């Protein structure tokens, strides 16, 4: 018998060996392991961008339209794409395909390590640890990526969007604070930054769970367990993406701190949201 895409029992043995049987059953259901393994079994030998395409078309029946693709510079120099992160997984797959096609597939996406379980996409993804300290292997792969001539897509929030209170607007679905590391990488590797807005949202259940988890002071990111379930809940949906004009890396000078520049770029991305909604 061939090895499954995701060996669920082995993953649990490595990461959570003492879970009760009923919890394992619940996790198996919300992570859609059996469904993903069945899809993989019928699409063996397909990898990276080809797998992303067929997984979106046949596995999830999702598609996306993009505005502003002409804003992506036609240059041989590597670029840095930065995007909001509304979905927590599916948006990364969709953007990898949209942007990768435009850039002759010279693109890698920085993702949370649990997405590396989807082995056919491992050639596109470069992982970071979401739980625990950063491993040497992951740190090495990221260092090699930044030194390469590959374009990079990153989600500076480091987590998917949450329901938040915004002055003058009330409760909105928006990214958490953007980390400034992409600013430092842009300057160091001389990559122009291309802002991208992804128009999408998860279920009300997801946002309510995240809201109450935080309100009750529970530190464990329980809602993250539902991200695969959210991905499958997005079947048959159409998403909209808008790409903004590239920001030269030379813009990020000493007039602002890296944190201030990161916040400024984040606002540029959300201004693209306003443009998308008016067209």
């Amino acid at each position: 018998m061939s090895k499954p895409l995701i060996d669920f029992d082995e993953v649990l043995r490595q990461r959570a060996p003492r879970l009760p049987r009923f919890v394992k059953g619940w996790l198996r259901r919300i992570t859609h392991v059996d469904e993903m393994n069945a899809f993989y079994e019928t699409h063996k030998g397909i990898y990276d961008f080809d797998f992303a395409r067929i997984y979106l078309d046949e596995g999830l029946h999702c598609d996306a339209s993009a505005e502003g693709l002409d804003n992506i510079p036609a240059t041989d120099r590597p670029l840095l794409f930065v995007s909001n992160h509304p979905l927590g997984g599916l948006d990364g797959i969709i953007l990898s395909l949209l942007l990768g096609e435009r850039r002759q597939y010279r693109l890698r996406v920085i993702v949370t390590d649990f997405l590396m379980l989807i082995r056919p996409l491992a050639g596109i993804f470069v992982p970071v640890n979401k739980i625990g300290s950063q491993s040497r292997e992951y740190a090495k792969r990221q260092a090699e990526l930044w030194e390469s001539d590959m374009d990079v897509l990153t989600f500076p929030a480091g987590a998917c969007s949450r329901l938040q209170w915004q002055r003058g607007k009330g409760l909105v679905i928006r990214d958490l604070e953007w980390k400034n590391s992409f600013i430092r990488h842009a300057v160091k590797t001389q990559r122009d930054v291309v802002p991208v807005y992804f128009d999408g949202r998860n279920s009300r259940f997801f946002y309510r769970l995240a809201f109450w988890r935080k309100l009750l002071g529970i530190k464990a990111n329980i809602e993250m367990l539902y991200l695969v379930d959210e991905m499958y809940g997005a079947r048959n949906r159409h998403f909209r993406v808008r790409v903004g004009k590239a920001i030269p890396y030379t813009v990020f000078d000493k007039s602002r701190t890296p944190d201030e520049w990161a916040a400024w770029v984040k606002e540029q991305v959300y201004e693209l949201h306003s443009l998308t909604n008016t067209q």
Side-chain angles (χ1 to χ4, degrees), residues 78-175:
L79 300 172
L80 173 54
F81 295 93
V82 295
S83 175
N84 63 314
H85 202 19
L87 304 183
L90 180 57
D91 41 7
I93 298 174
I94 290 174
L95 288 177
S96 70
L97 196 56
L98 280 175
L99 302 175
E101 287 178 339
R102 190 72 177 186
R103 292 285 292 171
Q104 292 77 50
Y105 304 106
R106 292 171 39 203
L107 178 75
R108 296 294 179 264
V109 187
I110 297 178
V111 300
T112 56
D113 58 343
F114 82 91
L115 280 178
M116 301 304 290
L117 294 172
I118 309 178
R119 292 197 310 275
L121 294 176
I124 301 174
F125 294 160
V126 176
V128 293
N129 280 19
K130 280 300 291 179
I131 300 175
S133 60
Q134 185 79 323
S135 71
R136 286 186 179 181
E137 178 190 353
Y138 287 1
K140 180 182 177 182
R141 290 187 61 178
Q142 289 178 54
E144 291 173 346
L145 172 62
W146 290 114
E147 292 170 3
S148 74
D149 61 354
M150 288 287 178
D151 295 336
V152 176
L153 165 62
T154 188
F155 301 95
C160 65
S161 305
R162 298 295 196 273
L163 194 64
Q164 300 179 69
W165 181 265
Q166 189 173 9
R167 182 179 296 179
K169 295 184 179 180
L171 286 173
V172 297
I173 297 168
R174 190 176 172 90
D175 273 8

Side-chain angles (χ1 to χ4, degrees), residues 9-61:
D9 294 330
E10 179 61 25
V11 171
L12 289 186
R13 273 194 295 271
Q14 292 178 5
R15 300 198 176 196
R18 298 181 181 179
L19 284 180
R21 181 176 297 180
F22 77 92
V23 175
K24 292 180 181 179
W26 167 71
L27 283 173
R28 192 176 199 108
R29 178 178 58 81
I30 67 169
T31 55
H32 296 258
V33 168
D34 295 330
E35 192 169 355
M36 294 178 74
N37 282 340
F39 185 86
Y40 174 68
E41 187 66 26
T42 57
H43 295 84
K44 286 185 175 179
I46 304 174
Y47 301 98
D48 300 335
F49 295 100
D50 289 333
F51 187 85
R53 184 179 297 106
I54 202 167
Y55 187 53
L56 292 173
D57 289 347
E58 299 182 15
L60 298 174
H61 306 287

Side-chain angles (χ1 to χ4, degrees), residues 240-253:
R240 298 174 66 189
V241 174
R242 187 170 185 90
V243 180
K245 293 183 178 180
I247 304 168
Y249 71 89
T250 52
V251 166
F252 307 122
D253 58 21

Side-chain angles (χ1 to χ4, degrees), residues 193-207:
V193 173
V194 182
V196 179
Y197 180 81
F198 192 102
D199 193 6
R201 59 189 298 167
N202 285 322
S203 68
R204 291 182 179 178
F205 167 79
F206 178 86
Y207 297 117

